[in-house]
């Protein structure tokens, strides 16, 4: 979707905009988002970050998903100047200062607010010129995937305000933020003032763990039960995310469903395998194929060739970024794949 197409849809007579969920709680599905509720969500973010008319917002994410759409809605709601660049892992490259006709370098635009995914931030910080421009953005919010320890370390001493977001398509972008850098850095998300959170305790969970329930009346018609296992702070307001109940890999802002990748590969690979995930500095998480081949080098090479052929049938973002070999796929007592054991095995290199 182009910016012009979004504006046309926003300004038509319908009170709704069609958006698609990312698939973090199942298969992606279309939902109708009310424009008035999108404006309410935008207002919460702008108020929280003290954004004012005339401030500049950077649009560097696709308009096919809620994150990109909401950057535009915030500019509409608050009268922000919108600076749009093509989505890429180097969103700041196109706006770096370039020499003018007389040889003098033009000053880069002053950006007040930007929303990025972890891979965009990682790549921007890996380039000295882009890092310098990144550090001048007053507020950067990061969503769409986990912030790795490496990326967190890279951000720790940045001079600007950097936030991790919590939210989903159903909540029309984020409903809570936490500081990633500076003295106010915290692992606890702070919901917006109109948002209330609670825990739904599951028999599978113990102690103070529970599935997060979001009550955001300005955004959602009714409380929303998430698949995130969280802990509620003693203040009853803030929360931190401990993990996910479902099998989703958040890689570079793209959410990958483990079972869907396995199903697509199941008839193409002639050996036992499963899809698991591993922490990655750039993407937050990556998909990894765990193959029960053993330590036979010749067999491993044949397996790699089979994988290369099978991966051609997958969408580009779903292709596993690594192959790890083991002697057997870990199973639970009931014969199901032991997902936690697979991830642990993968993180230690297999076998």
């Amino acid at each position: 979707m182009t910016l012009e197409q979004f504006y046309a849809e926003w300004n038509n007579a319908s009170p709704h905009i069609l958006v698609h969920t990312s698939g973090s709680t199942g298969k992606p599905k279309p939902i109708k988002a009310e424009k008035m509720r999108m404006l309410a969500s935008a207002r919460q973010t702008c108020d929280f970050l003290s954004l004012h008319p005339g401030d500049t917002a950077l649009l560097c994410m696709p308009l096919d998903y809620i994150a990109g759409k909401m950057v535009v809605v915030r500019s509409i709601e608050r009268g922000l100047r919108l600076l749009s660049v093509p989505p890429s892992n180097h969103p700041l490259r196109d706006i770096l200062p370039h020499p003018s006709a007389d040889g003098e370098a033009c000053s880069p635009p002053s950006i007040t607010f930007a929303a990025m995914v972890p891979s965009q931030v990682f790549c921007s910080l890996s380039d000295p010129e882009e890092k310098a421009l990144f550090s001048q953005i007053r507020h950067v919010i990061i969503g769409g995937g986990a912030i790795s320890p490496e990326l967190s370390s890279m951000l720790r001493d940045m001079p600007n305000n950097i936030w991790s977001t919590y939210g989903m398509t159903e909540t029309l972008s984020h409903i809570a933020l936490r500081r990633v850098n500076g003295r106010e850095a915290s692992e606890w998300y702070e919901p917006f003032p109109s948002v209330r959170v609670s825990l739904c305790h599951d028999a599978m969970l113990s102690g103070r763990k529970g599935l997060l329930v979001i009550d955001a009346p300005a955004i959602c018609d009714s409380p929303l039960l998430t698949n995130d296992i969280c802990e509620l702070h003693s203040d009853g307001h803030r929360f931190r995310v401990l993990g996910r109940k479902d099998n989703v890999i958040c890689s570079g802002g793209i959410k990958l469903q483990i079972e869907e990748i396995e199903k697509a590969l199941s008839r193409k690979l002639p050996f036992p395998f499963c899809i698991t995930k591993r922490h990655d500095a750039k993407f937050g998480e990556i998909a990894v194929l765990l193959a029960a081949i053993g330590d036979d080098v010749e067999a491993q090479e044949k397996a790699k060739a089979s994988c290369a052929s099978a991966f051609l049938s997958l969408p580009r973002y779903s292709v596993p970024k690594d192959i790890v070999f083991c002697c057997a796929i870990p199973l639970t007592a009931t014969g199901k794949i032991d997902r936690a054991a697979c991830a642990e095995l993968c993180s230690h290199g297999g076998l």
Side-chain angles (χ1 to χ4, degrees), residues 278-296:
R278 187 173 68 210
H279 154 74
D280 183 78
K282 177 178 178 181
F283 295 100
E285 295 176 342
I286 57 171
V288 177
L289 187 139
L290 185 63
I293 298 296
D295 57 2
D296 186 293

Side-chain angles (χ1 to χ4, degrees), residues 142 163 209:
I142 306 173
W163 309 82
K209 299 178 182 178

Side-chain angles (χ1 to χ4, degrees), residues 170-226:
E170 291 86 348
T171 59
L172 306 180
S173 189
H174 51 267
I175 52 86
L177 297 171
R178 68 174 179 87
R179 271 294 290 270
V180 175
N181 67 323
R183 293 183 178 179
E184 298 176 14
S186 173
E187 61 183 2
W188 297 92
Y189 284 96
E190 181 177 351
F192 293 136
S194 64
V195 176
R196 297 291 178 267
V197 295
S198 59
L199 298 180
C200 176
H201 292 284
D202 190 296
M204 298 292 291
L205 305 175
S206 60
R208 299 179 62 190
K209 299 178 182 178
L211 299 181
L212 191 72
V213 179
I214 300 170
D215 185 9
I219 309 300
C220 305
D221 287 328
S222 57
L224 176 67
L225 175 64
T226 75

Side-chain angles (χ1 to χ4, degrees), residues 47-113:
D47 287 347
F48 190 94
L49 299 179
S50 297
L51 300 180
H52 302 290
D55 287 342
T56 299
L58 175 66
L59 172 63
C60 60
M61 292 191 291
L63 284 167
D64 301 306
Y65 299 99
I66 192 66
K69 294 180 191 293
M70 286 305 302
V71 173
V72 184
V73 177
R74 293 179 194 117
S75 73
I76 294 172
E77 195 285 330
R78 193 50 50 104
L80 307 177
R81 293 181 295 178
L82 191 65
L83 175 61
S84 178
V85 299
S88 77
N89 271 332
H90 288 273
L92 302 178
R93 183 168 290 172
D94 290 338
I95 54 178
L96 287 171
H98 298 288
S100 60
D102 58 7
E104 300 239 352
C106 300
S107 299
S110 177
I111 303 172
T112 314
F113 168 80

